[in-house]
Amino acid sequence: MGRFRRLLKRGLFGVEKWVSANDLFEKPGERARTAALGPRTRRAETPSAHPAPAPAPTQTPAQVVLTPTPAVVAPVGCEVVDLDELAARLGAGGGVRVVNHWATWCIPCVEELPDLKEVHSALPAGIEMWGVSWDLFDPRGDEDDICEHVSNFAAGHGLPWASVLLGESVEAADFFERFGLSTQTVPQTWVLSGSGEVVLRIERAIGPSDLISIVSVARALVSSGAGESHV
């Protein structure tokens, strides 16, 4: 009987290795992400016995390199805000900020988290990054429970920045109008100057080229002195 179990276990392990090697299980969202980003996420179907050396990385005209820097890390957490409180956070006096609008039920939002973490690691020291959760626009509980869920979800994905949750008092239409959103979907990523101006607004999931854009715009704002408010 013991011999039979060993043979069965060995056979199952062989099947598992074959399935894994042939990539038969499609990861969540992989098909859409592959279509959008092309070779960045595709696997080679028949690897060569003598693979060619990887091409040297190319630089953009601005020569921006995503080198990790010791950025200021906010504690992971969640806080409920209304429109006035959000306006204060997005307004003057906050320095250069990168703000990601997202929701835990939004699949593209979740799929872009690794890219956002790469952006965070490449931001110059002193630039704050945080999220604005739209989770209650598709309510699945009261705001305290959802805020705890957002915090736990962020921690589970290893996000080094905190989020604010638009509370139960916030009507989606009022939010869209007050902050001039022409696209009423998540994800969105904004880069704000110290005066609260949205200098860069990406109204979709970010891709490889957007990583360069976000970091270069943030660096340029700091270099130009736009990180300070002028009020």
Side-chain angles (χ1 to χ4, degrees), residues 158-170:
L159 305 187
W161 61 84
S163 287
V164 296
L165 172 69
L166 297 173
E168 293 173 339
S169 65
V170 177

Side-chain angles (χ1 to χ4, degrees), residues 60-77:
T60 63
Q63 297 293 305
V64 176
V65 180
L66 292 179
T67 304
T69 56
V72 173
V73 178
V76 175

Side-chain angles (χ1 to χ4, degrees), residues 135-213:
D135 271 73
L136 282 173
F137 288 171
D138 182 15
R140 304 182 184 190
D142 63 43
E143 62 182 25
D144 291 335
D145 290 340
I146 295 299
C147 201
E148 182 179 1
H149 165 68
V150 169
S151 180
N152 292 338
F153 190 92
H157 284 269
L159 305 187
W161 61 84
S163 287
V164 296
L165 172 69
L166 297 173
E168 293 173 339
S169 65
V170 177
E171 295 292 337
D174 295 337
F175 167 70
F176 298 146
E177 180 179 2
R178 181 159 181 175
F179 294 97
L181 275 72
S182 58
T183 301
Q184 301 174 2
T185 57
V186 284
Q188 296 190 34
T189 301
W190 299 355
V191 179
L192 287 84
S193 69
S195 62
E197 177 187 2
V198 181
V199 179
L200 178 65
R201 191 189 299 253
I202 300 173
E203 298 174 323
R204 51 172 169 73
I206 65 173
S209 62
D210 298 316
L211 275 65
I212 301 293
S213 298

Side-chain angles (χ1 to χ4, degrees), residues 92-134:
V96 178
R97 287 146 287 174
V98 176
V99 177
N100 175 247
H101 296 257
W102 72 301
T104 62
W105 39 254
C106 164
I107 294 175
C109 299
V110 178
E111 290 182 338
E112 74 170 355
L113 292 179
D115 288 333
L116 289 171
K117 289 196 286 186
E118 188 173 346
V119 167
H120 181 272
S121 69
L123 289 173
I127 294 183
E128 187 179 12
M129 182 169 175
W130 44 279
V132 177
S133 170
W134 294 19

Side-chain angles (χ1 to χ4, degrees), residues 24-92:
L24 297 185
F25 290 142
E26 181 180 293
K27 301 176 181 62
E30 185 174 31
R31 184 175 302 172
R33 188 171 180 83
T34 298
L37 302 184
R40 182 169 180 259
T41 56
R42 288 199 182 99
R43 295 169 59 100
E45 294 185 5
T46 54
S48 170
H50 301 284
T58 57
Q59 295 290 337
T60 63
Q63 297 293 305
V64 176
V65 180
L66 292 179
T67 304
T69 56
V72 173
V73 178
V76 175
C78 176
E79 181 181 349
V80 179
V81 297
D82 59 25
L83 289 183
D84 290 337
E85 291 167 331
L86 180 63
R89 288 173 178 265
L90 295 176

